[in-house]
Amino acid sequence: MLLLFAVIALILNEAVAWSPTNSYAPGNVSCADDVNLVREASGLSANETAWLKKRDAYTKDALKSFLDRATENFTNSSFVDALWNSGKTPKLGVGCSGGGYRAMLSGAGMLSALDNRTSGADKHGLGGVLQSATYLAGLSGGNWLVGSLAWNNWTSVQDVIDNRGQDDELWDISNSILNPGGINIFSSASRWDQISDAVEAKQHAGFNTSLTDIWGRALSYNFFPTLYRGGEAYTWSTLRDADVFKNAEMPFPISVADGRYPGTEIIDLNSTLFEFNPFEMGSWDPSLNAFTDVKYLGTNVTNGTPVAKGQCVAGFDNTGFIMGTSSTLFNQFLLQLNTTSLSSFLKGIVEDFLDDLSDEYDDIAIYNPNPFRDTEFVASNYSHSVVDSSNLFLVDGGEDGENIPFVPLLQEDRDLDVIFALDNSADTEDYWPAGLSLIATYERQFGPQGKDFAFPYVPDVDTFVQHGLNSKPTFFGCEASNMTDLTRTPPLIVYMPNNRQSYNSNTSTFKMSYDSAQRMQMFQNGFEAVTRNNLTDDSGFAGCVACAIMKRKQESLNMTLPSECTQCFQDYCWDGKTASSSANVSTLGPASGSVSFVTDSATSTSSSSKKNGEPQMPQSHSMSWYVVFTTVLGVALGIM
Ligand SMILES: *[C@@H]1O[C@H](CO)[C@@H](O)[C@H](O)[C@H]1NC(C)=O
Ligand SMILES: *[C@@H]1O[C@H](CO)[C@@H](O)[C@H](O)[C@H]1NC(C)=O
Ligand SMILES: *[C@@H]1O[C@H](CO)[C@@H](O)[C@H](O)[C@H]1NC(C)=O
Ligand SMILES: *[C@@H]1O[C@H](CO)[C@@H](O)[C@H](O)[C@H]1NC(C)=O
Ligand SMILES: *[C@@H]1O[C@H](CO)[C@@H](O)[C@H](O)[C@H]1NC(C)=O
Ligand SMILES: *[C@@H]1O[C@H](CO)[C@@H](O)[C@H](O)[C@H]1NC(C)=O
Ligand SMILES: *[C@@H]1O[C@H](CO)[C@@H](O)[C@H](O)[C@H]1NC(C)=O
Ligand SMILES: *[C@@H]1O[C@H](CO)[C@@H](O)[C@H](O)[C@H]1NC(C)=O
Ligand SMILES: *[C@@H]1O[C@H](CO)[C@@H](O)[C@H](O)[C@H]1NC(C)=O
Ligand SMILES: *[C@@H]1O[C@H](CO)[C@@H](O)[C@H](O)[C@H]1NC(C)=O
Ligand SMILES: *[C@@H]1O[C@H](CO)[C@@H](O)[C@H](O)[C@H]1NC(C)=O
Ligand SMILES: CC(=O)N[C@H]1CO[C@H](CO)[C@@H](O)[C@@H]1O
């Protein structure tokens, strides 16, 4: 054993130094004696504001070239110049929905249609929209997409396509995570051994761990294939040091997760919604109303002040852990180990580990110590349960029904004119989106957590389906003058639903492996789904997108839009009408209690009953698991 640990220690020393321990374990670092890590959510952070100055300069040029190109055939093309002369540049955000690998792959195709680095995107797509975007938010599977592009030095889907078949290929999910080595069980065993070591190291350092740690580690091998052990020492805040982010050559990435109140297992629109950005994590919601420096998560604080003066913790914000946090719905996937083709000895070991956890904790990520303990920014009349707790429990960002990460993009200070909503949700029983996430966010604005944002009117799910609002791009909130009842004028929503073009992209949320050909077909269909089939169904679609982008500024400046835009809004805006008859569309909740995972070899169902009750902290996993694990694997691999 000692020898094994010595070997591991040696390896760890050679790892790239992002976490102070060079490993998955957080470590102590010094910080200023008077540091306060928490602030009230009263506006954007100074760092975000400073970053935006650089980004605005970049998007201004990128958007000008997109709009010029998209409106080149308009009879009067001087509108764009007139708008630019006014000095008011429209601001764009893009949101990528959850939905497992379906959302990641189809979303990647969609995003590639907006990305001028994709071949063909300028000619028969919307290339340049992504370069014009200020914010790029992702949730669950959508965050796998955003996170893996952003934290790989803003790589592109085109790069992924071009690098297919290489050893360190991004998103190689031909084998399921449970069985990463495919038929090579030793390769799988070695992977799981590394994951075990990493999680053990975090626990040794005094931090509670959960299935999310294992899940995040396992995912990371697909997302950071060029990094040592899938980036076990790679942190979220490292992005601040990446040139492409520092120079604002990429949009500002945001990940979303939901808070779960201590003492309850309910996740609904009243739950506190958290965002992670490269500088901070926290919530705009009145039930928290605070942000903390994401780099020093793991520090024991009261009201933002470290308990041990001058001593902070860093390395807790592991990139894979945060990506796992946004997607904890899939933690349950780990419980499927029994039904796959894994070798029986590995199965047995993992089951031992899982036996220690109660069902209710399948889906949590533990942030302990709670970075917001005893903070004083909760709005009056709101529960203090989040800040009173010693633990912060976060779960999958889609569990409150808002499967598109709108809320961070709707904040008034972010000042967006238009949001591109890439929806790969499985709202219908056959895994197509049908607007449920829009309806949820629409409703949230009228609830206790909705004070800070406005969202356009949207119809019921029957209308979405019967009027085909979910089968081609649809614009919501076209007329600011029709929304004066809301808190303020919301951004215009360009809703881009997953729909069939060249491939049946309505794959199961719980399909956990895709071969190379399937990945390419998902990419291609995603591209076609958001471009009216490469502009063949409507050669004027890029111009219509330009009209949508310029609409809010046109309204506020009382300018006259080009005449082509009138036809565009007739074609693409929801007209405010609802379906007369009910179709009784059957829908799936985003976090339905019963999930079916589709693996290489088998389909299995696991039901998790989520009940109310006083939660117990999950038991610290007994060390015997690790001892057995490393011993057996050590022998198997001939290390010992
Ligand atoms: C970090 O600091 C805490 C509290 O000061 C201490 O208990 C812990 O042992 C330290 N960890 C390491 C790895 O030095
Ligand atoms: C994409 O757009 C950016 C911003 O306008 C520009 O700097 C870059 O050269 C473009 N890239 C390609 C491949 O067109
Ligand atoms: C403008 O018209 C030309 C000639 O018909 C066509 O090739 C080009 O694609 C059109 N541009 C847009 C943005 O529709
Ligand atoms: C063209 O558009 C500009 C800006 O919107 C406007 O000032 C001008 O009058 C328009 N020209 C014609 C001929 O309509
Ligand atoms: C649409 O464009 C994409 C990207 O250029 C391409 O991969 C795809 O084959 C095109 N689809 C059709 C039907 O031409
Ligand atoms: C990003 O680029 C830098 C500089 O080229 C490199 O050191 C780093 O490893 C890259 N990060 C990732 C995740 O590829
Ligand atoms: C949210 O809270 C409000 C008021 O506290 C309550 O009326 C409403 O039923 C709650 N919503 C849900 C979905 O529980
Ligand atoms: C795992 O599989 C074995 C044999 O197929 C079965 O007896 C056992 O109950 C299963 N365990 C779980 C947790 O499903
Ligand atoms: C954090 O510090 C408090 C003392 O303020 C202590 O009671 C608590 O146990 C510490 N928590 C952790 C996780 O170390
Ligand atoms: C907006 O413009 C229209 C005509 O272009 C004009 O009738 C109207 O008074 C203007 N409204 C404001 C508020 O300037
Ligand atoms: C805006 O309101 C007008 C009149 O109230 C209505 O005719 C129109 O359909 C509405 N437009 C949209 C896009 O909802
Ligand atoms: C949260 C965060 O990134 N804070 C940083 C903002 O920028 C100042 C100075 O540039 C740093 O000191 C903060 O740590």
Side-chain angles (χ1 to χ4, degrees):
M1 265 343 268
L2 281 178
L3 181 62
L4 180 63
F5 284 123
V7 170
I8 290 168
L10 260 180
I11 294 169
L12 291 183
N13 280 337
E14 287 166 14
V16 193
W18 287 313
S19 166
T21 62
N22 287 347
S23 75
Y24 185 64
N28 293 332
V29 294
S30 58
C31 51
D33 281 354
D34 62 350
V35 75
N36 194 308
L37 299 174
V38 172
R39 69 173 183 100
E40 184 176 5
S42 56
L44 303 181
S45 69
N47 293 282
E48 183 174 336
T49 305
W51 186 90
L52 287 174
K53 282 210 173 70
K54 286 184 267 178
R55 184 63 184 166
D56 288 347
Y58 183 93
T59 57
K60 198 174 180 194
D61 292 344
L63 183 57
K64 180 78 163 59
S65 49
F66 172 76
L67 293 176
D68 281 341
R69 191 178 79 242
T71 62
E72 67 185 353
N73 295 336
F74 283 14
T75 46
N76 181 352
S77 61
S78 62
F79 185 86
V80 177
D81 289 326
L83 187 58
W84 251 247
N85 290 339
S86 79
K88 304 250 186 233
T89 313
K91 253 186 165 177
L92 284 64
V94 180
C96 303
S97 81
Y101 284 140
R102 179 190 62 247
M104 180 177 90
L105 298 172
S106 172
M110 293 175 170
L111 211 54
S112 76
L114 311 182
D115 187 340
N116 73 352
R117 298 173 295 176
T118 310
S119 63
D122 283 353
K123 242 178 121 57
H124 49 259
L126 303 170
V129 168
L130 187 59
Q131 279 65 33
S132 307
T134 305
Y135 293 98
L136 175 60
L139 178 160
S140 201
N143 186 49
W144 301 345
L145 163 63
V146 171
S148 36
L149 297 180
W151 270 261
N152 279 301
N153 286 322
W154 190 233
T155 188
S156 64
V157 176
Q158 187 67 51
D159 278 343
V160 176
I161 292 171
D162 295 344
N163 291 330
R164 257 175 316 151
Q166 306 209 346
D167 275 352
D168 55 3
E169 175 183 5
L170 180 60
W171 300 333
D172 178 359
I173 48 173
S174 307
N175 298 314
S176 101
I177 273 180
L178 298 183
N179 196 19
I183 56 167
N184 182 346
I185 64 161
F186 288 106
S187 160
S188 294
S190 148
R191 171 78 57 86
W192 283 99
D193 192 22
Q194 292 173 6
I195 292 171
S196 159
D197 289 345
V199 178
E200 182 187 12
K202 178 170 174 181
Q203 185 145 332
H204 267 315
F207 297 89
N208 291 304
T209 54
S210 64
L211 279 183
T212 307
D213 289 274
I214 304 174
W215 176 237
R217 277 291 65 239
L219 281 173
S220 295
Y221 286 82
N222 295 329
F223 299 157
F224 305 108
T226 61
L227 301 184
Y228 178 74
R229 292 190 168 178
E232 65 173 16
Y234 190 39
T235 58
W236 190 257
S237 50
T238 303
L239 192 68
R240 299 174 196 175
D241 303 325
D243 286 338
V244 67
F245 179 76
K246 274 198 294 199
N247 301 334
E249 287 159 8
M250 58 177 280
F252 194 74
I254 299 176
S255 169
V256 167
D258 294 338
R260 198 170 85 175
Y261 283 100
T264 161
E265 288 156 32
I266 292 179
I267 315 290
D268 60 26
L269 295 174
N270 290 346
S271 304
T272 306
L273 200 150
F274 285 77
E275 75 166 59
F276 288 80
N277 69 53
F279 298 118
E280 296 185 314
M281 75 82 88
S283 181
W284 303 98
D285 292 347
S287 56
L288 182 60
N289 190 31
F291 282 95
T292 187
D293 188 341
V294 69
K295 185 173 183 175
Y296 298 110
L297 284 174
T299 306
N300 194 0
V301 288
T302 64
N303 195 16
T305 306
V307 170
K309 203 173 185 191
Q311 191 187 298
C312 291
V313 166
F316 190 99
D317 64 324
N318 177 272
T319 311
F321 181 59
I322 291 175
M323 289 167 76
T325 298
S326 184
S327 60
T328 61
L329 191 57
F330 297 87
N331 286 357
Q332 289 182 27
F333 180 53
L334 296 173
L335 302 174
Q336 306 301 309
L337 280 161
N338 201 34
T339 64
T340 70
S341 54
L342 277 184
S343 67
S344 58
F345 84 94
L346 195 53
K347 262 195 240 180
I349 294 163
V350 175
E351 275 165 15
D352 282 351
F353 178 85
L354 298 175
D355 281 349
D356 282 350
L357 281 168
S358 57
D359 270 5
E360 303 87 79
Y361 285 90
D362 291 353
D363 69 339
I364 60 164
I366 303 174
Y367 285 70
N368 171 276
N370 178 358
F372 299 105
R373 193 159 58 92
D374 298 336
T375 54
E376 292 161 353
F377 306 117
V378 176
S380 55
N381 300 329
Y382 282 79
S383 158
H384 280 61
S385 59
V386 173
V387 302
D388 285 346
S389 170
S390 55
N391 299 297
L392 177 63
F393 293 154
L394 299 182
V395 300
D396 194 291
E399 287 194 37
D400 67 348
E402 297 181 274
N403 203 35
I404 303 173
F406 280 122
V407 169
L409 303 175
L410 296 170
Q411 294 309 309
E412 186 165 24
D413 293 307
R414 290 195 166 133
D415 197 24
L416 295 185
D417 294 284
V418 58
I419 298 173
F420 288 78
L422 312 183
D423 193 2
N424 291 289
S425 303
D427 295 341
T428 69
E429 281 180 334
D430 47 1
Y431 299 108
W432 295 113
L436 285 184
S437 331
L438 284 77
I439 294 168
T441 301
Y442 169 77
E443 284 174 353
R444 194 179 202 257
Q445 73 185 315
F446 303 113
Q449 301 282 29
K451 288 168 105 168
D452 281 344
F453 68 89
F455 191 79
Y457 294 98
V458 291
D460 59 303
V461 65
D462 282 336
T463 304
F464 264 97
V465 174
Q466 288 188 38
H467 291 193
L469 307 180
N470 65 342
S471 59
K472 70 175 179 50
T474 305
F475 305 162
F476 293 95
C478 288
E479 291 297 330
S481 58
N482 278 16
M483 298 183 291
T484 50
D485 291 351
L486 303 176
T487 315
R488 62 173 170 275
T489 304
L492 190 154
I493 307 296
V494 175
Y495 178 60
M496 298 184 139
N498 182 23
N499 61 88
R500 197 206 127 88
Q501 297 293 331
S502 56
Y503 188 62
N504 286 326
S505 52
N506 57 332
T507 49
S508 162
T509 308
F510 300 101
K511 175 174 161 59
M512 297 311 280
S513 62
Y514 287 73
D515 66 28
S516 184
Q518 288 171 328
R519 289 199 294 277
M520 287 299 288
Q521 285 163 317
M522 292 293 283
F523 292 157
Q524 181 180 334
N525 191 79
F527 188 106
E528 293 158 353
V530 301
T531 56
R532 305 295 327 269
N533 198 16
N534 295 4
L535 307 183
T536 56
D537 288 348
D538 177 1
S539 61
F541 182 59
C544 290
V545 168
C547 294
I549 290 172
M550 300 187 294
K551 186 73 168 76
R552 283 287 176 274
K553 290 292 184 250
Q554 170 264 320
E555 287 167 337
S556 68
L557 294 165
N558 199 20
M559 294 164 71
T560 307
L561 269 182
S563 55
E564 285 81 357
C565 291
T566 312
Q567 184 62 44
C568 283
F569 292 138
Q570 259 168 34
D571 291 346
Y572 291 100
C573 292
W574 174 52
D575 57 10
K577 299 199 176 76
T578 52
S580 47
S581 66
S582 165
N584 291 322
V585 177
S586 308
T587 55
L588 297 169
S592 46
S594 176
V595 297
S596 298
F597 289 99
V598 185
T599 62
D600 313 331
S601 54
T603 301
S604 61
T605 300
S606 113
S607 293
S608 71
S609 54
K610 300 286 176 196
K611 57 181 190 305
N612 282 317
E614 203 52 36
Q616 306 293 306
M617 193 60 199
Q619 303 270 308
S620 279
H621 321 310
S622 63
M623 267 309 118
S624 62
W625 181 76
Y626 297 107
V627 172
V628 173
F629 196 48
T630 42
T631 305
V632 174
L633 284 180
V635 171
L637 299 170
I639 291 172
M640 296 174 89

